[in-house]
Amino acid sequence: MSMPFYVSPEQMMEDRADYARKGIARGKALIALSFKQGILIVAENPSNTLHKVSEIYDRIAFAGVGKYNEFDQLRIAGVRHADLKGYSFSREDVGARNLANEYAQMLGQIFTHEMKPMEVEILVAEISQESDDIQPQMFHIFYDGTVKDETDYAVLGGETETIIDRFSPNYKKNLTLTKALAIAVNSLAGDDRELIPDDLEVAELSVRNGRRAFRRIAGDELDKLLSKNS
């Protein structure tokens, strides 16, 4: 009788982490940053139909990078969780922190117990309900369930360190929408290429939008915002 092949738990976890990181690195990056009216999310995404950025609830947005079908499953689960909690209790009880904890448990369980980890990084972002106190919250959840509480900005996906090096020296608090968009797009593109509106997916969580704070920025509006900085 042959002996089963033994792999130490440490090696198994490291192999799963390497597998997930390589899958995520193949995807295109996104940047989420706080600006004067809320949170802006800018993703490199040439697809017009497969969204990386979506609304989960009234003042909560979801963004994902990596394998699309996997982070879209997480998005749907988050929408269902938020709807159920809002219906069972009240809309004010639905928050980004609670959703981030739910996602962390799901991803941690899959990473530890399933054969293949999810090749995703996700972001849950929220702004407060008071127009004079935006208080942006951003929770960056990794493939293994690790949660990082971001205060000003978050970068997800491939070439994260390179993009942060380009982005962080130019970032300031209370930027206008136009300036925030320009810094994010330039950081994603780098010096050797140019991103046009068709290459981008842009959305905001803004106090100007009322209860449904999430809004996509596309078409002529995106063209005009980008042209102001060209």
Side-chain angles (χ1 to χ4, degrees):
M1 182 176 178
S2 61
M3 294 292 291
F5 184 70
Y6 174 76
V7 179
S8 68
E10 293 85 357
Q11 184 63 49
M12 186 180 298
M13 293 298 105
E14 184 60 33
D15 290 345
R16 289 178 180 176
D18 286 342
Y19 179 86
R21 285 194 292 262
K22 288 177 182 177
I24 295 165
R26 287 192 290 268
K28 298 184 183 298
L30 69 80
I31 298 176
L33 66 151
S34 63
F35 73 110
K36 194 171 184 179
Q37 281 83 35
I39 296 173
L40 179 69
I41 305 174
V42 182
E44 185 177 354
N45 182 13
S47 174
N48 293 322
T49 55
L50 303 179
H51 294 304
K52 299 169 74 169
V53 185
S54 301
E55 179 184 33
I56 283 190
Y57 212 62
D58 291 345
R59 311 180 79 82
I60 303 174
F62 171 95
V65 296
K67 204 166 185 179
Y68 174 80
N69 68 313
E70 293 184 348
F71 68 70
D72 197 54
Q73 289 176 28
L74 295 172
R75 178 191 65 82
I76 293 169
V79 170
R80 289 173 176 166
H81 174 81
D83 282 342
L84 180 60
K85 186 165 187 177
Y87 178 78
S88 301
F89 300 97
S90 70
R91 305 188 76 87
E92 290 74 21
D93 290 326
V94 181
R97 187 180 301 277
N98 180 262
L99 277 168
N101 289 335
E102 290 291 327
Y103 280 134
Q105 292 178 29
M106 292 171 61
L107 286 168
Q109 180 76 9
I110 291 169
F111 181 81
T112 304
H113 297 287
E114 299 296 329
M115 181 66 68
K116 187 191 87 67
M118 279 192 161
E119 301 167 61
V120 297
E121 285 182 25
I122 61 175
L123 181 85
V124 181
E126 179 184 20
I127 59 172
S128 68
Q129 300 182 33
E130 301 298 331
S131 60
D132 58 344
D133 187 15
I134 297 172
Q135 292 183 344
Q137 296 184 72
M138 290 181 279
F139 298 97
H140 183 178
I141 304 107
F142 294 83
Y143 55 85
D144 59 354
T146 302
V147 180
K148 188 176 180 182
D149 185 1
E150 308 282 8
T151 54
D152 296 322
Y153 61 86
V155 179
L156 284 70
E159 299 184 342
T160 301
E161 293 182 1
T162 302
I163 294 172
I164 290 175
D165 289 342
R166 292 195 292 251
F167 177 83
S168 57
N170 299 310
Y171 174 78
K172 297 178 182 178
K173 292 186 177 182
N174 295 319
L175 292 167
T176 64
L177 174 61
T178 303
K179 188 64 176 176
L181 177 62
I183 293 172
V185 172
N186 291 337
S187 299
L188 288 172
D191 298 329
D192 56 346
R193 59 189 188 123
E194 181 180 356
L195 293 176
I196 61 174
D198 287 344
D199 297 325
L200 299 168
E201 182 180 358
V202 181
E204 67 170 1
L205 283 175
S206 174
V207 293
R208 299 175 300 177
N209 299 333
R211 180 172 66 84
R212 297 289 296 275
F214 182 87
R215 184 177 72 92
R216 296 191 182 279
I217 301 173
D220 292 340
E221 181 183 9
L222 182 57
D223 290 340
K224 290 178 182 177
L225 287 170
L226 291 174
S227 65
K228 291 180 181 179
N229 295 279
S230 60

